[in-house]
Amino acid sequence: MDFGAAWKRYDEMDITLPPDDPITSKVLRTAAKNHTLHIGSSGWTRKEFVGTLYPNNIKDVNMLSTYSELYDCVELNATHYKIYSPAEVRKWLEKVKSNEFIFCPKFPQSISHDSTLLNATEETKAFLDGISAFGKQLGPVFLQLSEHFSPARKLNLYKYLEQLPEEIDFFVEVRHQEWFANRFERKEFFNTLREMAIGVVMTDTPGRRDCLHMGLTTPQLFLRFVTKGDHHNDIKRLEEWLPRLEEWKAAGLEETWFFLHVHEGEHEANFYKEVRSLFGLEPRESQESQLSLF
């Protein structure tokens, strides 16, 4: 994902973390609980992973299995382009090494981009029926709206969200600048999601700092972290997250979903090692042997 990256101006940008949105202190006001950190990538099939994150001789059929030994979750973008049947979903499950590995599907674009959200009943049912096959390995499901979906259509969004099943964790990602620039719309958006117990996606990308809104509507962080891969600012941005996460964890943050979007995929392995080191995570034996190859 290169959304908002603006790599040519990367050195000149203000990449500091913005202050918390006021809603975050309202959501995170319980006693500290155990916090779970999940780290994943945006998929497992990138050709740049061969010889870097994966062995040189890996076959396509083995990529998901190898990926699941390195990460504990995946941002499942495949579901954005096609609605998968339960049988197709179960084939993915058969390939992962651990029954604790989590899939986090993105809503199909036929719903998020091609519909008004008020005429998507059949597609939504088919999508939810398919991903229900993940069972206990289904994580947060996120609805990414296009950059053209403005607050002018907010009632469509809110009515759609009201109809979603409560037993699934849903997150919403908005990109139109008016959601953030208009204080009334921003506050109403966050408050509405909070009342529905629906999370809001944060996207940390260099050229769209408004999307790094620092607002939590549930005690869960769903962060999409866009990096170049081998740039010194990548690590600076990552380091800035450490004290903020500690503050949020102490205030009651229960779960973090941290998804890497490395522009230059050949650098994913090295950047992932940096992430694990900065967060103080010891790799499992399979990770140690795999990542030590590169």
Side-chain angles (χ1 to χ4, degrees):
M1 177 178 70
D2 283 332
F3 168 69
W7 299 125
K8 292 182 180 179
R9 298 186 289 110
Y10 198 12
D11 278 314
E12 307 164 7
M13 296 177 187
D14 179 4
I15 55 172
T16 56
L17 279 185
D20 289 0
D21 186 273
I23 197 169
T24 298
S25 62
K26 297 178 182 179
V27 171
L28 301 181
R29 58 182 183 183
T30 59
K33 299 180 180 179
N34 291 332
H35 172 265
T36 304
L37 171 64
H38 304 275
I39 302 178
S41 189
S42 57
W44 59 82
T45 60
R46 292 185 70 174
K47 62 181 180 180
E48 299 96 328
F49 289 177
V50 178
T52 56
L53 193 67
Y54 302 153
N56 278 311
N57 59 349
I58 193 171
K59 296 180 180 178
D60 290 355
V61 70
N62 295 326
M63 286 184 175
L64 175 54
S65 178
T66 301
Y67 174 95
S68 70
E69 294 180 333
L70 298 169
Y71 298 94
D72 69 352
C73 62
V74 65
E75 181 186 298
L76 190 57
N77 284 292
T79 54
H80 189 58
Y81 303 102
K82 173 186 172 182
I83 294 177
Y84 288 82
S85 68
E88 291 172 309
V89 166
R90 283 190 285 271
K91 290 181 180 179
W92 283 329
L93 284 173
E94 292 170 359
K95 293 180 182 296
V96 300
K97 295 290 187 179
S98 169
N99 58 12
E100 295 182 356
F101 182 86
I102 302 297
F103 292 85
C104 303
K106 183 192 290 190
F107 270 77
Q109 62 183 354
S110 61
I111 297 172
S112 60
H113 289 58
D114 301 337
S115 80
T116 65
L117 294 182
L118 298 181
N119 60 346
T121 302
E122 291 185 9
E123 290 91 342
T124 301
K125 183 180 184 305
F127 170 60
L128 295 177
D129 285 347
I131 64 174
S132 67
F134 283 124
K136 294 181 179 180
Q137 290 177 247
L138 176 64
V141 182
F142 73 107
L143 174 68
Q144 179 195 85
L145 299 172
S146 79
E147 295 175 64
H148 305 292
F149 194 102
S150 76
R153 291 192 280 171
K154 63 185 178 183
L155 293 183
N156 291 27
L157 172 62
Y158 299 152
K159 288 179 181 178
Y160 181 76
L161 296 177
E162 286 175 349
Q163 300 171 35
L164 295 176
E166 295 181 358
E167 62 270 19
I168 296 176
D169 287 337
F170 292 102
F171 283 75
V172 178
E173 179 181 7
V174 292
R175 292 181 165 187
H176 192 284
Q177 293 180 347
E178 194 66 13
W179 289 104
F180 311 108
N182 185 308
R183 292 185 180 181
F184 172 81
E185 298 295 357
R186 176 186 177 115
K187 184 176 181 179
E188 183 186 61
F189 173 62
F190 287 155
N191 285 335
T192 301
L193 264 59
R194 182 188 179 196
E195 291 171 3
M196 294 182 181
I198 290 176
V200 58
V201 173
M202 287 186 206
T203 302
D204 187 340
T205 187
R208 282 292 305 273
R209 303 310 277 174
D210 55 341
C211 293
L212 187 57
H213 46 72
M214 307 308 284
L216 295 174
T217 55
T218 66
Q220 293 176 298
L221 169 63
F222 191 117
L223 178 64
R224 309 179 82 207
F225 193 81
V226 182
T227 73
K228 200 169 189 300
D230 65 341
H231 196 283
H232 60 90
N233 278 345
D234 296 339
I235 302 300
K236 287 183 179 180
R237 289 166 52 211
L238 189 64
E239 289 175 338
E240 278 216 29
W241 270 103
L242 298 180
R244 190 68 61 95
L245 282 176
E246 289 302 315
E247 291 175 13
W248 287 357
K249 285 159 59 177
L253 183 68
E254 298 174 4
E255 206 161 25
T256 294
W257 301 89
F258 196 103
F259 291 106
L260 307 180
H261 288 260
V262 181
H263 171 65
E264 298 172 354
E266 63 270 23
H267 298 296
E268 174 110 7
N270 284 333
F271 189 72
Y272 180 43
K273 285 193 287 186
E274 292 281 0
V275 170
R276 295 194 64 87
S277 175
L278 282 169
F279 283 115
L281 299 175
E282 292 296 330
R284 299 187 299 270
E285 183 177 347
S286 59
Q287 291 174 319
E288 186 69 53
S289 59
Q290 180 67 35
L291 292 173
S292 65
L293 296 175
F294 313 115

